[in-house]
């Protein structure tokens, strides 16, 4: 049975699967994969961090290793103001050979392209040594507590081994295949509240202005570069995202001042080392302070090697492009998977991801399926 990646993309986009709602997306995928001979496990997870139950899927065909896994997510971000869309975001229309809908770029289409590639591979190769698997989550776009992380725990309990993983996030920049990702920067967010003593602006010696101290801390943190970047990573960067004092009076020194800031960091740092750095700076200026830290993910890299070579070769064969091996952009579920095996991300253009009128060209979806088929064939060739 050969799967049409456009039709399957449309079926998936029709599901209003805004995190954590599934709306039948996993069921559609499960039906198709079972039709291809996969053993499927629908995995519903919840956690104390996020009580909203999320549906995930692990599917596998073949026996033993090596196990090549494809990871992706069926959940999508909210469409925003529906009136701004040219079409209903959950009605996947094709106009001028472009498929529109929420998830057309990020990343229902990539899942469909992988399944189509698998169907063609299986049609040509009745038997192969190893396994093909899919790890699909419904919790990537939001908190990600009940998704990939939990599925990986479930796999570990069952001694299910994955040897290499392709993540279908949209990684292409201006043309399909011009960029793949071999790692990601880490991300850490801080909320810092500096405590002072309230007083009259005319008698600063009788007060303690927390705004001054907060500004000094932020200035010093921002002024000195965290590093100069590495061969595969851009420079780490800190951005102050808000400063809140909420003081309505011009003649009152406030008691508290709060700022939020986020650091995107490379593998010269860790969440721990950055927290240490920030606390050190706070100690220098802050007096009494309160610091909340949220780590989204550590920086990681799968150094250029067999897997990135395989993916880059497949991209080159189908598109003629030599993809850039990048670590830019936000985080993805690759941050969890990299703990168990090499992982490379390769997918469609990300230009319309999360936007109004999100879309992908039919030609790109078909080419991505061809790239994926090359990757699969190459993986099981050697
Ligand atoms: Zn995504």
């Amino acid at each position: 049975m050969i799967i049409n990646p456009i039709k399957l993309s449309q079926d998936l986009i029709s599901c209003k699967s805004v995190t954590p709602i599934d709306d039948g997306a996993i069921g559609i995928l499960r039906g198709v994969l079972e039709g291809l001979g996969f053993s499927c496990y629908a995995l519903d997870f919840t956690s104390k961090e996020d009580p909203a139950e999320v549906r995930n899927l692990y599917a596998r065909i073949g026996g033993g290793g090596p196990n090549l896994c494809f990871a992706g997510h069926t959940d999508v971000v909210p469409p925003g103001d529906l009136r701004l869309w040219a079409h209903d975001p959950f009605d996947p229309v094709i106009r001028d050979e472009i498929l529109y809908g929420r998830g057309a770029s990020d990343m229902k289409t990539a899942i469909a392209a992988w399944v189509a590639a698998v169907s063609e591979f299986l049609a040509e190769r009745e038997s192969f040594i190893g396994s093909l698997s899919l790890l699909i989550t419904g919790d990537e776009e939001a908190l990600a507590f009940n998704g990939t992380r939990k599925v990986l725990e479930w796999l570990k309990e069952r001694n299910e081994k994955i040897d290499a993983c392709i993540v279908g996030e949209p990684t292409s920049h201006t043309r399909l295949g011009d960029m793949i990702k071999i790692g990601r920067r880490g991300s850490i967010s801080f909320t810092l509240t500096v405590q002072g003593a309230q007083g009259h602006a005319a008698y600063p010696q009788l007060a303690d202005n927390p705004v001054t101290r907060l500004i000094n801390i932020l200035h010093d943190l921002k002024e000195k570069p965290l590093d100069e970047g590495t061969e595969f990573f851009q420079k780490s960067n800190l951005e102050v995202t808000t400063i809140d004092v909420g003081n309505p009076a011009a003649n009152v020194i406030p008691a508290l001042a709060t700022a939020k800031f986020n650091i995107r960091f490379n593998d010269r740092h860790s969440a721990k080392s950055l927290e240490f750095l920030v606390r050190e700076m706070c100690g220098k200026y802050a007096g009494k302070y309160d610091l909340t830290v949220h780590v989204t993910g550590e920086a990681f890299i799968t150094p250029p090697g067999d897997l990135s070579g395989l993916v880059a070769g497949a991209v080159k064969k189908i598109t003629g492009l030599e993809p850039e091996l990048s670590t830019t952009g936000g985080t993805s579920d690759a941050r969890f998977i990299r703990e168990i095996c090499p992982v490379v991300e390769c997918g469609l253009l990300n230009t319309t991801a999360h936007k109004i009128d999100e879309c992908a060209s039919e030609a790109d979806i078909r080419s991505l399926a061809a790239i994926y088929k090359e990757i699969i064939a190459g993986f099981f060739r050697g």
Side-chain angles (χ1 to χ4, degrees):
M1 183 173 43
I2 300 295
I3 303 300
N4 177 341
I6 310 295
K7 167 79 173 55
L8 181 54
S9 294
Q10 289 177 298
D11 289 348
L12 292 173
I13 291 171
S14 299
C15 303
K16 296 180 177 168
S17 52
V18 175
T19 334
I21 295 160
D22 170 61
D23 197 31
I26 293 285
I28 288 172
L29 210 50
R30 178 181 190 156
V32 173
L33 289 169
E34 283 180 343
L36 290 171
F38 278 79
S39 303
C40 292
Y41 306 88
L43 305 166
D44 296 336
F45 291 125
T46 176
S47 59
K48 64 175 187 315
E49 293 90 347
D50 180 8
E53 188 172 75
V54 172
R55 175 149 286 195
N56 305 278
L57 178 73
Y58 180 71
R60 177 171 182 159
I61 190 169
N67 178 4
L68 174 62
C69 183
F70 174 87
H73 61 89
T74 47
D75 63 322
V76 293
V77 294
D81 189 346
L82 293 176
R83 290 166 305 182
L84 298 177
W85 285 73
H87 304 277
D88 179 343
F90 299 104
D91 176 19
V93 296
I94 295 174
R95 211 182 53 217
D96 299 330
E97 294 169 29
I98 309 272
L99 170 62
Y100 290 87
R102 180 54 90 223
S105 159
D106 186 6
M107 54 163 281
K108 288 173 168 177
T109 41
I111 297 173
W114 185 269
V115 174
V118 167
S119 73
E120 291 196 18
F121 175 75
L122 293 175
E124 286 169 19
R125 293 264 296 267
E126 275 286 290
S127 67
F128 63 101
I129 295 170
S131 301
L132 277 164
S133 59
L134 287 92
L135 190 172
I136 306 296
T137 178
D139 190 14
E140 197 274 344
E141 296 289 7
L143 300 171
F145 281 114
N146 300 326
T148 299
R149 197 185 332 220
K150 283 249 186 275
V151 179
L152 291 175
E153 284 170 18
W154 182 86
L155 293 174
K156 200 174 165 198
E157 279 163 23
R158 296 172 57 98
N159 285 321
E160 178 82 8
K161 195 165 174 283
I162 292 172
D163 296 281
C165 185
I166 305 296
V167 174
E169 287 293 337
T171 54
S172 299
H173 194 51
T174 54
R175 283 177 64 193
L176 175 69
D178 62 0
M179 186 181 280
I180 62 177
K181 302 217 169 160
I182 57 169
R184 293 274 185 156
R185 290 179 298 170
S187 174
I188 184 168
S189 298
F190 297 89
T191 303
L192 171 63
T193 299
V194 174
Q195 215 180 88
Q198 191 175 318
H200 198 303
Y203 305 103
Q205 70 278 14
L206 301 177
D208 172 11
N209 194 340
V211 181
T212 311
R213 286 200 269 113
L214 184 63
I215 288 170
N216 286 337
I217 293 166
L218 296 175
H219 173 265
D220 282 16
L221 281 172
K222 183 75 190 160
E223 190 183 38
K224 191 166 159 266
L226 288 159
D227 55 71
E228 289 304 316
T230 70
E231 187 183 357
F232 296 108
F233 282 99
Q234 60 198 116
K235 293 177 184 180
S236 302
N237 183 55
L238 178 148
E239 286 303 321
V240 178
T241 50
T242 184
I243 297 178
D244 301 291
V245 178
N247 178 9
N251 58 351
V252 175
I253 291 169
L256 296 172
T258 298
K260 290 182 198 284
F261 48 99
N262 174 265
I263 302 176
R264 299 292 162 135
F265 58 96
N266 61 37
D267 58 354
R268 300 274 309 275
H269 306 270
S270 67
K272 251 205 162 92
S273 72
L274 289 168
E275 181 179 344
F276 183 81
L277 180 85
V278 170
R279 286 198 184 278
E280 211 175 36
M281 201 62 84
C282 290
K284 192 171 156 196
Y285 291 108
K288 252 184 156 174
Y289 70 91
D290 182 64
L291 185 70
T292 320
V293 184
H294 177 75
V295 183
T296 312
E298 297 282 354
F300 68 92
I301 187 159
T302 296
D306 290 349
L307 189 62
S308 58
L310 175 66
V311 175
V315 168
K316 176 98 198 260
K317 182 163 175 194
I318 301 302
T319 67
L321 296 177
E322 206 85 67
E324 180 186 339
L325 309 184
S326 170
T327 56
T328 55
T331 60
S332 80
D333 275 1
R335 71 187 188 275
F336 304 125
I337 299 163
R338 60 103 185 189
E339 290 180 10
I340 60 163
C341 69
V343 50
V344 171
E345 301 178 60
C346 172
L348 291 170
L349 289 170
N350 53 30
T351 18
T352 62
H354 295 200
K355 290 189 181 170
I356 302 290
D357 293 334
E358 182 176 348
C359 63
S361 83
E362 283 187 279
D364 278 359
I365 298 170
R366 291 188 192 283
S367 294
L368 184 63
I371 291 169
Y372 285 163
K373 194 184 156 206
E374 281 297 319
I375 294 171
I376 296 168
F379 187 85
F380 292 106
R381 191 178 296 132

